[in-house]
Amino acid sequence: TVDLKYDDVSYATVHQSAFLRCGMMPVQPIKELWWFKIGASEERVYYYDPTSVDAALMKRARRSSRDNTSLEIYPTQLSDEGEYKCRIVVWDNTGNSTEPSVPISKEARMMLKVNVPPEKVEITHLTSGRNLSLRCKSEGAKPPADILWTKTSPDGVETEIPDLSKTREIEPAGELYDTAEQIFYQLQENEMIAKISCVVRHHNTNTTIYKNITFVSPAIQNALKVTIQRFAEPVLYSSIENQDGQDNKAGLVKISADPGFKVPYNTSVTLKASAPGIFPEPRYLWWVGDQTGIAGRELHIDNLEEDKSYYVLAENPLGRVVLEVPVHITTSDYSQWNDSSRDGDAMVTDTTEGLDTGAIIGIVIGAL
């Protein structure tokens, strides 16, 4: 009898060589060798007849030189992942040389898993004084990459930053995955320079990628002092350049209104604040006039009867920003209404009339 030696699951890295083992024990003369990829139907990958045919029906496939019956695919593509079947037909006369040989067919099925290393790694950051908010993103990996953070001392000693305050997101991108992780870190009093590294590890492809960024203590930076007009203490912001030489910038706090910023008389309105990409997540406080503030992302206004300006404070450890949000009563002419899709991402310049626009923009860019 003939037994087949094979692996239930084989792993390969995209663009490298894949090896699917299908050997015989004991070795017997081959009559035919077939390889199939199993899908909606059996797709022929390779056929071998020692007397006449040695044909790769898939251009990147070949018989392995290790045992003449296993299959190699090079270069491996992500589409090669799936189930395969090898069929070996051998001659066997059961040890009796006087009897004619008879063909014996053996089959084995196995899975090929194709791994993909990270395609791109980005690190972004926001700073306020000694407070740092960092985000590292790995794109286009399979399975999802792992992320950790390290800090390198001035004498070159690298240590892992413990899991203090961080969040991780894994999002599918087709057949691949994007992994993003955000951390909040405070420079120590004795730290004049800190090199922070995002380390992206993908064990399945033996890939490790470092993305570095260096922070300088505020004591030796050219700090720009800006103040806000309410809930005010000066907020220090220092202009830092990242490892790619791009200016340090942050997203704006965005305000949306449902059904809109201009509504008919006696209409209820919901205002919502968001700060996409900001970490840690800001807290929000709404108020109008001298009323007590209402905490939360949203402010619900019942039966608006007159034009009115509302204010929202967005604040996290990196700083704060105050926005004025005017809501207007329109005429009964429906054509003048503006819907929430147009007003959905109100920028600061659209919603800060009556406040010092220069100070507001400075805080948004510098603090959040």
Side-chain angles (χ1 to χ4, degrees), residues 52 75 78 106 111 114 142 172 199-200 205 240 243 275 329 341:
S52 58
L78 186 56
K106 293 286 186 175
M111 290 293 299
V114 179
K142 178 181 173 294
V199 184
V200 176
T205 59
I240 306 175
Q243 73 280 4
I329 299 296
S341 62

Side-chain angles (χ1 to χ4, degrees), residues 125-132 213-226 235-243 245-250 318 362 365-367:
H125 70 285
L126 304 172
T127 68
S128 179
R130 292 184 176 273
N131 297 321
L132 314 176
I213 190 167
T214 301
F215 295 96
V216 180
S217 168
I220 56 176
Q221 291 177 358
N222 181 20
L224 168 68
K225 181 183 292 186
V226 294
V235 176
L236 287 178
Y237 165 62
S238 300
S239 177
I240 306 175
E241 290 190 351
N242 66 19
Q243 73 280 4
Q246 301 172 348
D247 290 337
N248 176 23
K249 297 181 180 179
L318 296 176
I365 295 179

Side-chain angles (χ1 to χ4, degrees), residues 247-281:
D247 290 337
N248 176 23
K249 297 181 180 179
L252 300 176
V253 175
K254 296 182 178 181
I255 308 296
S256 62
D258 183 17
F261 292 99
K262 296 179 182 179
V263 296
Y265 176 82
N266 208 33
T267 299
S268 296
V269 179
T270 299
L271 301 177
K272 183 176 181 180
S274 63
I278 301 302
F279 183 81
E281 172 73 17

Side-chain angles (χ1 to χ4, degrees), residues 295-337:
R297 285 174 172 268
E298 298 183 0
L299 175 69
H300 185 71
I301 306 163
D302 290 322
N303 308 116
L304 188 67
E305 298 180 348
E306 61 181 351
D307 293 352
K308 193 168 291 187
S309 287
Y310 298 83
Y311 296 86
V312 60
L313 164 72
E315 182 178 40
N316 73 2
L318 296 176
R320 55 177 67 86
V321 60
V322 176
L323 299 180
E324 179 186 13
V325 185
V327 183
H328 300 285
I329 299 296
T330 68
T331 66
S332 58
D333 182 358
Y334 282 47
S335 66
Q336 296 185 30
W337 296 8

Side-chain angles (χ1 to χ4, degrees), residues 17-305:
S17 179
F19 175 73
L20 293 169
R21 184 171 71 140
C22 187
M24 291 183 295
M25 181 64 72
V27 177
Q28 298 276 28
I30 296 175
K31 179 181 184 295
E32 286 181 321
L33 169 67
W34 289 92
W35 275 96
F36 304 90
K37 184 178 182 186
I38 309 300
S41 60
E42 291 188 350
E43 175 189 351
R44 296 178 181 181
V45 174
Y46 204 96
Y47 175 68
Y48 173 57
D49 178 346
T51 63
S52 58
V53 180
D54 191 0
L57 305 177
M58 183 177 76
K59 291 183 178 179
R60 293 174 292 106
R62 64 175 180 263
R63 282 187 304 122
S64 173
S65 58
R66 303 185 195 185
D67 54 20
N68 263 347
T69 53
S70 296
L71 185 72
E72 292 185 4
I73 302 173
Y74 178 83
T76 306
Q77 299 177 359
L78 186 56
S79 59
D80 295 330
E81 182 169 279
E83 184 179 13
Y84 288 78
K85 179 175 74 173
C86 80
R87 178 189 298 153
I88 300 178
V89 181
V90 298
W91 293 111
D92 183 26
N93 61 6
T94 66
N96 189 343
S97 59
T98 63
E99 296 292 332
S101 296
V102 295
I104 297 177
S105 177
K106 293 286 186 175
E107 292 185 354
R109 293 189 177 215
M110 62 217 70
M111 290 293 299
L112 174 63
K113 298 286 188 179
V114 179
N115 299 317
V116 182
E119 177 185 20
K120 181 180 180 182
V121 174
E122 291 183 329
I123 183 171
T124 56
H125 70 285
L126 304 172
T127 68
S128 179
R130 292 184 176 273
N131 297 321
L132 314 176
S133 179
L134 304 101
R135 183 174 191 267
C136 182
K137 183 176 183 180
S138 162
E139 298 182 1
K142 178 181 173 294
D146 187 35
I147 293 177
L148 63 87
W149 297 86
T150 64
K151 181 178 67 173
T152 304
S153 64
D155 55 358
V157 178
E158 183 181 35
T159 57
E160 183 174 349
I161 298 176
D163 297 344
L164 299 176
S165 175
K166 73 176 186 179
T167 61
R168 175 173 293 186
E169 301 171 354
I170 298 176
E171 297 182 355
E175 298 181 82
L176 308 179
Y177 295 89
D178 295 343
T179 303
E181 187 167 285
Q182 294 174 299
I183 66 167
F184 175 66
Y185 179 77
Q186 289 182 306
L187 291 174
Q188 303 300 313
E189 290 296 330
N190 60 350
E191 287 185 291
M192 301 302 291
I193 295 178
K195 178 182 176 182
I196 307 294
S197 300
C198 164
V199 184
V200 176
R201 298 185 301 187
H202 198 252
H203 298 292
N204 297 77
T205 59
N206 297 318
T207 300
T208 301
I209 302 175
Y210 277 72
K211 195 75 170 180
N212 304 319
I213 190 167
T214 301
F215 295 96
V216 180
S217 168
I220 56 176
Q221 291 177 358
N222 181 20
L224 168 68
K225 181 183 292 186
V226 294
T227 59
I228 60 177
Q229 299 186 10
R230 191 151 183 158
F231 298 91
E233 287 182 2
V235 176
L236 287 178
Y237 165 62
S238 300
S239 177
I240 306 175
E241 290 190 351
N242 66 19
Q243 73 280 4
D244 297 321
Q246 301 172 348
D247 290 337
N248 176 23
K249 297 181 180 179
L252 300 176
V253 175
K254 296 182 178 181
I255 308 296
S256 62
D258 183 17
F261 292 99
K262 296 179 182 179
V263 296
Y265 176 82
N266 208 33
T267 299
S268 296
V269 179
T270 299
L271 301 177
K272 183 176 181 180
S274 63
I278 301 302
F279 183 81
E281 172 73 17
R283 70 177 184 90
Y284 302 95
L285 184 68
W286 295 87
W287 74 93
V288 57
D290 294 326
Q291 295 180 8
T292 303
I294 300 174
R297 285 174 172 268
E298 298 183 0
L299 175 69
H300 185 71
I301 306 163
D302 290 322
N303 308 116
L304 188 67
E305 298 180 348

